[in-house]
């Protein structure tokens, strides 16, 4: 009788260990949930007082609107990304790039503080501006307190983001 008890206990221990091991493997790595989208902006809209573009980002939902981190970067030259919000300082007047987001959408805006509407970003820089939106679940952001979220290169390396 003692032998049956020991064998049953060993079998039960093995099954519990196997179950717990499989549970750990089934957990979702927060890094795999980080999503990025790159957009080449060929034209900007105008609505007083700013130029803007709307970018479709389906990972921003009504349920994660308050908890997910949303970062926007822009580029005017290959492999150089600047964190938004950003100010382009001029001699007398400045341009300001900012963003806001709603479920499924990120609006990137470009505002000139001078006496006219100023130029849109493509005209100002002489190239089609690229915008990159990165959506980070709160769990991934909390798990990476040491990360400089303003530095796209660091964010890209940490989460293995692709262009």
């Amino acid at each position: 009788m003692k032998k049956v008890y020991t064998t049953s206990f060993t079998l039960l221990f093995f099954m519990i260990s196997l179950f717990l091991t499989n549970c750990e493997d089934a957990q979702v790595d927060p890094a795999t949930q980080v999503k990025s989208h790159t957009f080449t902006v060929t034209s900007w809209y105008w609505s007083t007082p700013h130029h803007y573009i709307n970018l479709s980002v389906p990972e921003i939902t009504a349920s994660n609107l308050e908890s997910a981190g949303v970062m926007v970067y822009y580029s005017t030259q290959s492999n150089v990304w600047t964190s938004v919000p950003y100010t382009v300082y001029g001699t007398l007047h400045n341009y300001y790039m900012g963003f806001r987001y709603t479920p499924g959408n990120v609006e990137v805006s470009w505002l000139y503080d001078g006496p006219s509407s100023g130029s849109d970003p493509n005209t100002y820089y002489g190239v089609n501006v690229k915008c990159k939106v990165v959506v980070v679940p709160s769990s991934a952001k909390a798990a990476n307190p040491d990360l400089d979220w303003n530095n796209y290169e660091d964010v890209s390396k940490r989460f293995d983001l692709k262009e």
Side-chain angles (χ1 to χ4, degrees):
M1 189 68 142
K2 185 176 182 183
K3 188 173 188 172
V4 171
Y5 176 75
T6 304
T7 304
S8 297
F9 179 75
T10 304
L11 183 60
L12 179 63
F13 178 78
F14 175 75
M15 290 174 59
I16 290 172
S17 297
L18 185 61
F19 175 77
L20 291 176
T21 301
N22 286 337
C23 285
E24 287 177 16
D25 291 342
Q27 290 178 352
V28 177
D29 179 9
T32 63
Q33 298 176 352
V34 174
K35 301 293 181 189
S36 70
H37 298 278
T38 303
F39 303 88
T40 299
V41 183
T42 57
S43 63
W44 294 76
Y45 299 106
W46 168 257
S47 178
T48 302
H50 66 290
H51 293 88
Y52 69 96
I53 190 71
N54 287 307
L55 309 172
S56 177
V57 184
E59 290 81 11
I60 304 172
T61 64
S63 63
N64 72 3
L65 189 66
E66 299 296 324
S67 62
V70 177
M71 277 70 65
V72 175
Y73 308 88
Y74 84 99
S75 177
T76 59
Q77 51 187 308
S78 184
N79 298 321
V80 177
W81 294 96
T82 302
S83 180
V84 175
Y86 185 75
T87 301
V88 179
Y89 294 102
T91 307
L92 297 174
H93 301 282
N94 305 316
Y95 283 96
Y96 305 98
M97 186 175 281
F99 72 97
R100 65 183 183 150
Y101 55 94
T102 56
N105 184 70
V106 172
E107 180 186 276
V108 179
S109 60
W110 175 258
L111 175 69
Y112 181 61
D113 71 359
S116 68
S117 62
S119 301
D120 68 63
N122 292 356
T123 303
Y124 181 84
Y125 286 110
V127 298
N128 287 338
V129 171
K130 289 186 178 183
C131 292
K132 184 176 290 290
V133 178
V134 178
V135 180
V136 182
S138 60
S139 59
K141 196 155 187 182
N144 293 278
D146 61 319
L147 185 58
D148 179 2
W149 295 97
N150 291 319
N151 185 326
Y152 177 73
E153 288 181 18
D154 291 350
V155 173
S156 176
K157 285 177 188 172
R158 179 73 53 96
F159 297 106
D160 193 30
L161 300 178
K162 306 295 181 211
E163 288 294 314

